[in-house]
C-alpha cells in the first residue's frame, strides 16, 4: 500500500454536504459520479494528495442507505492506494482478512476497487484501490 488515497464519508444529502465541504476545504468538488452497481452517487474533493469521497445512496436498498440507517452520517471507509490490487488481495486473503469480492470491481474515480470486511479490520471498512491506467 502506498498512501491513503481517500476517506469515504456517508452523507444524507450530497447537495447539502457538497456545500458544507466546499466551505470546510475552501475548494469545490472536482467530480461527481454515480456508480449504479453500488447504488451510490459520489463527489470528490482534493486535499493535497488525499481525497475526500462523499457518498449518498441512490436507493433505499443500497449499502450506503443501510449504513446511514444503522450508524448515521460519518466516516464510511478508508481507501488505500495499491499498485497491484490482485496481488494485494491475494496477500491479504493469505493473512486471514475477509474480502468482500473475489475479484476487483470497477469503482468511482477511474479505479479498480476491493473492500475488506470490517469485522476483520477493527470495525473499519477498508478499500483497496488501483488507478485504471488504460
Ligand atoms: Co471509496
Amino acid at each position: 500500500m502506498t498512501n491513503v488515497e481517500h476517506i469515504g464519508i456517508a452523507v444524507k444529502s450530497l447537495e447539502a454536504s457538497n456545500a458544507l465541504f466546499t466551505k470546510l476545504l475552501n475548494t469545490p468538488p472536482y467530480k461527481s459520479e454515480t456508480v449504479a452497481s453500488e447504488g451510490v452517487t459520489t463527489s470528490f474533493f482534493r486535499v493535497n494528495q488525499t481525497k475526500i469521497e462523499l457518498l449518498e445512496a441512490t436507493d433505499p436498498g443500497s449499502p450506503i442507505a443501510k449504513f446511514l440507517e444503522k450508524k448515521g452520517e460519518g466516516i464510511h471507509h478508508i481507501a488505500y492506494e495499491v499498485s497491484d490490487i490482485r496481488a494485494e488481495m491475494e496477500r491479504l486473503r493469505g493473512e486471514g482478512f475477509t474480502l468482500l469480492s473475489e475479484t476487483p470491481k470497477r469503482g468511482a474515480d477511474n479505479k479498480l476497487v476491493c473492500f475488506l470486511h470490517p469485522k476483520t479490520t477493527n470495525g473499519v471498512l477498508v478499500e483497496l484501490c488501483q488507478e485504471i491506467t488504460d
Side-chain angles (χ1 to χ4, degrees), residues 29-86:
Y30 68 89
K31 84 156 67 164
S32 180
E33 194 179 340
T34 296
V35 183
S37 60
E38 300 293 320
V40 73
T41 301
T42 63
S43 63
F44 284 89
F45 294 79
R46 212 182 285 280
V47 186
N48 199 3
Q49 287 203 343
T50 305
K51 298 160 187 167
I52 300 295
E53 175 185 32
L54 302 183
L55 305 131
E56 177 194 64
T58 56
D59 69 84
S62 79
I64 289 296
K66 286 180 192 147
F67 178 91
L68 286 167
E69 220 168 85
K70 254 169 69 180
K71 302 195 169 173
E73 294 182 301
I75 293 182
H76 177 260
H77 64 272
I78 295 182
Y80 297 95
E81 176 131 61
V82 297
S83 53
D84 183 343
I85 194 166
R86 288 176 181 84

Side-chain angles (χ1 to χ4, degrees), residues 6 31 33-38 40 42 44 53 104-115 127-130 132:
H6 64 269
K31 84 156 67 164
E33 194 179 340
T34 296
V35 183
S37 60
E38 300 293 320
V40 73
T42 63
F44 284 89
E53 175 185 32
K105 295 203 277 187
R106 198 164 184 127
D109 203 28
N110 196 40
K111 296 277 197 291
L112 284 176
V113 303
C114 176
F115 288 90
E127 175 186 342
L128 308 175
C129 63
Q130 179 185 345
I132 297 169

